[in-house]
Amino acid sequence: MVWTPAHTRLFLEEARRHRLFALYQLIALRGLRRGEACGLRWKEVDLDGRTLTVNWQLVQLAWQVHEGAPKTDASVRTIALDTDTARVLRVHRQQQLQERLAMGEAWTDSGFVFTQPDGSRLHPQHVSDQFLWLAYLAGLPPIRLHDLRHGSASLMLAAGVEMKVVQETLGHTSSAFTADTYTSVYPQVATAAAEKTAALLFGKEDQAEPGKLISLRS
């Protein structure tokens, strides 16, 4: 299940006040996996060039957290950032610097983009738990954090992004896998396209059902 664009906007408005807002926006717009977002390091982020490279992740096994490279070659990738997400990351970096000054010698220089307030690495489950709480506060239908990644794919498809680009952004091994996974999104995309086409002629705005979730096959 994935949220509609209206749902995602509501979530991001709620999450904007949280210190991990930039992490959730990255997943919502660029489709990073939870472990990839938690394992992102500043040395892999180019804010001037508006790109980031995924080549590290945090994996949760039982409750233990392990660091390492992504499991497949396709998962190692460079992702373009939109202007707003790059701006959000800059703000996040400034907030992290303020936390570092406040912690003084107690700061842990882990190098990760997203950390605990003392600079130590995040626990992936904490990120998921916080996501569920923020979604609840926003009054949204419950979905998994991983479904936020699915939602980014449906947003890209609805925006007319080519399947190959969606595949490479998500880090899938093949575009066939991406197409198979999001086949059930196509009717939603086609309906939205039909409404937008009619709006050009009749001047009507698309009226999406506010409480409707999109169902994915996987």
Side-chain angles (χ1 to χ4, degrees):
M1 307 297 291
V2 298
W3 286 330
T4 64
H7 287 145
T8 304
R9 282 195 296 270
L10 285 175
F11 170 76
L12 291 177
E13 288 173 6
E14 180 65 40
R16 190 175 299 277
R17 294 173 289 179
H18 193 270
R19 59 183 300 275
L20 294 180
F21 167 63
L23 181 150
Y24 294 120
Q25 177 154 326
L26 264 182
I27 296 178
L29 268 67
R30 299 284 71 202
L32 270 68
R33 298 176 177 90
R34 181 182 71 171
E36 295 170 346
C38 292
L40 185 65
R41 298 170 293 189
W42 281 118
K43 66 180 182 180
E44 297 151 350
V45 178
D46 180 0
L47 291 178
D48 292 331
R50 299 213 307 272
T51 63
L52 64 82
T53 300
V54 175
N55 59 19
W56 203 249
Q57 65 175 348
L58 299 185
V59 179
Q60 179 182 337
L61 299 175
W63 189 251
Q64 299 298 315
V65 179
H66 302 270
E67 300 179 19
K71 294 177 63 176
T72 67
D73 291 341
S75 297
V76 178
R77 62 202 188 277
T78 297
I79 297 174
L81 299 173
D82 60 277
T83 303
D84 186 67
T85 300
R87 179 191 61 79
V88 166
L89 282 170
R90 288 184 187 277
V91 172
H92 174 78
R93 184 167 62 177
Q94 292 302 313
Q95 293 173 341
Q96 191 181 73
L97 290 174
Q98 292 175 6
E99 291 177 339
R100 179 171 186 166
L101 289 173
M103 292 299 299
E105 294 183 357
W107 175 263
T108 300
D109 191 9
S110 65
F112 290 116
V113 174
F114 305 109
T115 66
Q116 300 286 358
D118 66 352
S120 59
R121 69 186 183 186
L122 290 171
H123 194 294
Q125 187 58 48
H126 168 75
V127 175
S128 293
D129 292 343
Q130 189 62 56
F131 167 76
L132 293 174
W133 178 244
L134 290 169
Y136 170 77
L137 292 177
L140 293 167
I143 63 172
R144 304 170 303 163
L145 177 57
H146 191 71
D147 295 326
L148 196 62
R149 166 178 157 87
H150 283 314
S152 73
S154 66
L155 287 173
M156 284 186 276
L157 290 170
V161 178
E162 294 182 4
M163 184 62 67
K164 181 65 175 178
V165 176
V166 176
Q167 171 224 325
E168 293 175 347
T169 301
L170 296 178
H172 287 163
T173 55
S174 70
S175 55
F177 175 81
T178 307
D180 182 65
T181 301
Y182 297 102
T183 295
S184 59
V185 176
Y186 292 159
Q188 304 289 338
V189 175
T191 299
E195 294 291 350
K196 289 178 181 178
T197 302
L200 289 175
L201 182 61
F202 301 113
K204 297 180 180 179
E205 295 184 357
D206 181 22
Q207 299 294 325
E209 297 178 50
K212 187 174 182 181
L213 292 173
I214 301 171
S215 177
L216 297 178
R217 295 197 304 168
S218 61

